[in-house]
Amino acid sequence: MEVIETPDKMIAWARNHAVLGRKNVLVPTMGYFHEGHLSLMRMAREYGDDVVVSLFVNPIQFGTNEDLSRYPSDFDRDAELAEKEGVSVLFSPSTDKMYPAGFQTAVTVEHLSRHLCGAHRPGHFTGVTTVVVKLFHIIRPDFAVFGQKDFQQLAIIRRMVLDLNMGVEILAHPIVREQDGLAMSSRNIYLDKDQRASALSLSKSIELACELFQKGIRDTTRLGEKVSAFISSHAGTDIDYVGFVDSNTLEFVSEADNSTRLLLAVTLFNKVRLIDNGLLAGFS
Ligand code: PAF
């Protein structure tokens, strides 16, 4: 596995590989790999000749009071894990190489970024789409794999690729969960054992919403009340949002149907913000 640290070297690598007719598949990450990331890498391997994993904690997608300065990292461990997964290149640029002095360009997907996480994290999605466009320009992937846990992010990136004719096929990987149901996240390490019990209220509340949906409750205000009450009954939970949306358009719905998805964001013990989501008709 090659470790490449500058955009220029990465561009040169991508050009050489394109000339050879090799297809490359990008897995964009912010590092601190867990099984979820490794599953994305395994999926990527099935789609191309080379898997490129980017490891970059993107400062412009963090708000001023967010966890940028303490975002977990362990480069050596990540590099070892990526190599074991057969990754060809680990692209790990520094912040000043990605955002040199004078940087002032941004890409925003307007409508899809306005609600849910977008309403609670102003500027977050512009930070995500801007860095993803940069990664696509630098790496020129044929495919890029994103996890479905960040469901809104995935929808925004799909829209951007379509709107800007970027020609990258976006692949979605299902949410990877711990045995107890907690969606895997690099941020889970911030939780101690007791706090983790509260974190489980996210996946359990999606299960609850699914059960109520199966029993015929379609009114999302009612479903939302039940979900919120369940989460709030757990210590240290502060709900950012409980949203019922159409899986394709991400518009809020008042009556749930088979394509309705519940999206959740909850801050735990004033320190860890977790997200999760599931389709009411079939949560997995
Ligand atoms: O999902 C993430 O880890 C990040 O938002 C991404 C896509 C790597 C961009 O920094």
Side-chain angles (χ1 to χ4, degrees):
M1 184 181 77
E2 245 179 280
V3 175
I4 297 183
E5 291 179 337
T6 68
D8 286 351
K9 284 190 185 144
M10 190 67 240
I11 289 170
W13 182 96
R15 284 200 179 129
N16 287 339
H17 279 67
V19 170
L20 297 173
R22 291 176 72 82
K23 291 211 176 302
N24 90 58
V25 189
L26 169 64
V27 181
T29 80
M30 299 206 297
Y32 209 68
F33 297 155
H34 51 66
E35 185 53 32
H37 296 109
L38 305 183
S39 309
L40 302 187
M41 295 175 205
R42 278 172 220 140
M43 181 176 187
R45 272 195 1 230
E46 289 171 25
Y47 281 82
D49 305 301
D50 291 295
V51 175
V52 177
V53 173
S54 62
L55 193 172
F56 179 62
V57 182
N58 175 34
I60 66 164
Q61 70 185 72
F62 288 78
T64 34
N65 296 322
E66 294 183 358
D67 58 348
L68 173 63
S69 58
R70 65 186 178 108
Y71 198 82
S73 75
D74 186 342
F75 180 82
D76 293 341
R77 180 177 161 275
D78 283 352
E80 206 178 298
L81 288 169
E83 180 144 39
K84 275 194 196 135
E85 292 303 334
V87 168
S88 300
V89 176
L90 188 59
F91 175 53
S92 167
S94 61
T95 301
D96 59 323
K97 287 277 183 289
M98 284 298 269
Y99 299 115
F103 185 88
Q104 55 185 286
T105 303
V107 176
T108 300
V109 176
E110 295 283 354
H111 191 66
L112 280 172
S113 301
R114 80 205 180 282
H115 63 338
L116 302 162
C117 282
H120 290 265
R121 303 183 69 188
H124 167 69
F125 285 123
T126 293
V128 171
T129 41
T130 300
V131 80
V132 170
V133 168
K134 284 173 68 70
L135 291 170
F136 285 0
H137 279 126
I138 295 167
I139 298 163
R140 300 275 167 194
D142 297 279
F143 299 90
V145 190
F146 292 84
Q148 237 173 346
K149 179 165 72 72
D150 297 86
F151 198 81
Q152 189 177 12
Q153 168 174 285
L154 178 63
I156 288 170
I157 286 165
R158 284 203 155 121
R159 186 72 252 172
M160 174 184 81
V161 165
L162 206 65
D163 288 355
L164 300 182
N165 308 91
M166 299 183 81
V168 180
E169 193 171 324
I170 303 301
L171 306 169
H173 192 285
I175 298 176
V176 181
R177 298 183 178 279
E178 306 280 359
Q179 278 205 331
D180 56 11
L182 183 65
M184 286 196 185
S185 162
S186 303
R187 293 184 167 103
N188 290 351
I189 57 139
Y190 298 144
L191 299 165
D192 66 28
K193 198 163 152 263
D194 293 338
Q195 294 170 340
R196 206 187 145 92
S198 289
L200 282 179
S201 66
L202 277 84
S203 57
K204 286 189 174 152
S205 73
I206 303 175
E207 282 171 22
L208 171 68
C210 289
E211 279 165 28
L212 297 171
F213 178 77
Q214 302 300 343
K215 285 186 183 151
I217 301 180
R218 296 287 183 270
D219 176 3
T220 55
T221 305
R222 213 172 136 204
L223 288 168
E225 282 164 7
K226 299 271 185 208
V227 166
S228 300
F230 179 81
I231 295 172
S232 302
S233 70
H234 292 74
T237 53
D238 185 8
I239 298 173
D240 273 13
Y241 63 78
V242 169
F244 292 88
V245 300
D246 179 88
S247 290
N248 300 309
T249 63
L250 241 66
E251 293 298 329
F252 289 119
V253 295
S254 51
E255 281 283 305
D257 63 22
N258 284 344
S259 70
T260 302
R261 188 170 282 271
L262 168 57
L263 269 62
L264 298 173
V266 178
T267 301
L268 290 146
F269 301 93
N270 294 317
K271 63 171 184 176
V272 193
R273 185 177 182 278
L274 297 181
I275 54 173
D276 202 347
N277 70 83
L279 197 63
L280 294 189
F283 177 45
S284 57

